[in-house]
Amino acid sequence: MAPWSAMKQYFAVDMSAGRFLRNTLAFSVLSLMPLLLLYVGLTPGFAGHLLEGGPALWRFLRQVVTNGLPVVFTINYLSFFLLALVRDSEGAKNAPLRLIITDLLARLAIFILLHAAIYFVSAGWFGSFGGDRMTALRVVGPTLSRSALFENISGVYLYATLISALPLYIAAMEQTARERPTSHLAKLIRSLPGRIGAALIALVLFGVFLLALSAAAWSIATLQGR
């Protein structure tokens, strides 16, 4: 993932809202495309099914546009804004670790709640889930519980948000190391050359998010099954 130095020109607190939104949309689409191709390629017979066109292709594209893109865009917008705050001299007064916690909790809530809202609306508008809104809500937990394993298309949306998570976590780790050079975290980050230490911690943090999402989704599915 590109470090902050390569992305700061695209996301800054003094940037116009329109430009920030446009850049977030562009990065979200770019992160989705290769993962969608990977998912289609890994799913037996799916590529041929889509190449036939017709309703199958239309439903797939509709799902990506009405579900995947809104989820990925919303999460990325939040993380890119927090990334800009980490770099900004005024925003930097906020503890970087606090911003990371904010991001982790917010992306967990956004991923679950937006899926639920979109499934609910899709049942009424497009007749998805047999047109039953309660069925749409009941499949949220089981679906998201498997997304971390890339077993369904929600996994595509989940990993597409890496494009915003890693730069934020890396930038926050590096700032923490500069501000608290004697802390154990700073020593751990500096124990490896370059940005490797910060990048490894960033990956661990994203892994924590994956575990939290899986646990939350499993809990929701369990409660709904009672």
Side-chain angles (χ1 to χ4, degrees):
M1 187 64 204
W4 167 255
S5 57
M7 298 184 71
K8 61 183 179 181
Q9 59 182 312
Y10 300 108
F11 304 101
V13 292
D14 58 351
M15 183 177 292
S16 68
R19 185 180 175 192
F20 201 105
L21 289 168
R22 182 195 65 194
N23 290 346
T24 301
L25 179 61
F27 273 80
S28 298
V29 171
L30 289 174
S31 67
L32 273 169
M33 290 176 62
L35 289 171
L36 283 170
L37 291 174
L38 178 62
Y39 174 75
V40 171
L42 291 175
T43 305
F46 196 24
H49 195 49
L50 293 178
L51 288 175
E52 294 176 0
L57 178 61
W58 162 244
R59 285 194 296 268
F60 175 74
L61 294 177
R62 186 188 69 199
Q63 218 278 346
V64 172
V65 172
T66 63
N67 184 8
L69 189 55
V71 169
V72 175
F73 173 84
T74 303
I75 292 176
N76 284 345
Y77 182 89
L78 169 69
S79 295
F80 285 140
F81 179 73
L82 294 177
L83 175 62
L85 282 182
V86 169
R87 183 64 179 177
D88 180 65
S89 58
E90 291 298 322
K93 294 178 181 178
N94 296 303
L97 294 180
R98 187 181 304 164
L99 294 180
I100 287 180
I101 294 173
T102 299
D103 179 84
L104 287 171
L105 294 176
R107 68 173 51 229
L108 179 64
I110 291 170
F111 200 79
I112 294 174
L113 294 178
L114 261 187
H115 267 87
I118 292 170
Y119 282 13
F120 184 85
V121 172
S122 295
W125 286 4
F126 306 121
S128 304
F129 312 102
D132 188 332
R133 291 187 173 93
M134 295 310 298
T135 298
L137 292 178
R138 282 194 293 269
V139 303
V140 172
T143 298
L144 299 189
S145 66
R146 300 192 302 272
S147 59
L149 300 177
F150 208 71
E151 292 184 354
N152 52 44
I153 198 169
S154 290
V156 172
Y157 311 149
L158 179 60
Y159 287 99
T161 63
L162 265 171
I163 199 171
S164 61
L166 294 188
L168 170 61
Y169 301 162
I170 290 172
M173 288 298 101
E174 291 177 338
Q175 182 171 318
T176 299
R178 289 193 301 270
E179 294 178 350
R180 302 175 183 177
T182 60
S183 66
H184 294 299
L185 180 59
K187 293 177 182 178
L188 177 61
I189 292 173
R190 291 197 300 269
S191 65
L192 295 172
R195 286 189 163 93
I196 295 178
L200 287 177
I201 295 176
L203 286 172
V204 170
L205 289 170
F206 192 78
V208 169
F209 163 63
L210 296 181
L211 290 174
L213 175 65
S214 298
W218 179 83
S219 298
I220 292 171
T222 301
L223 290 173
Q224 290 176 327
R226 290 180 178 178

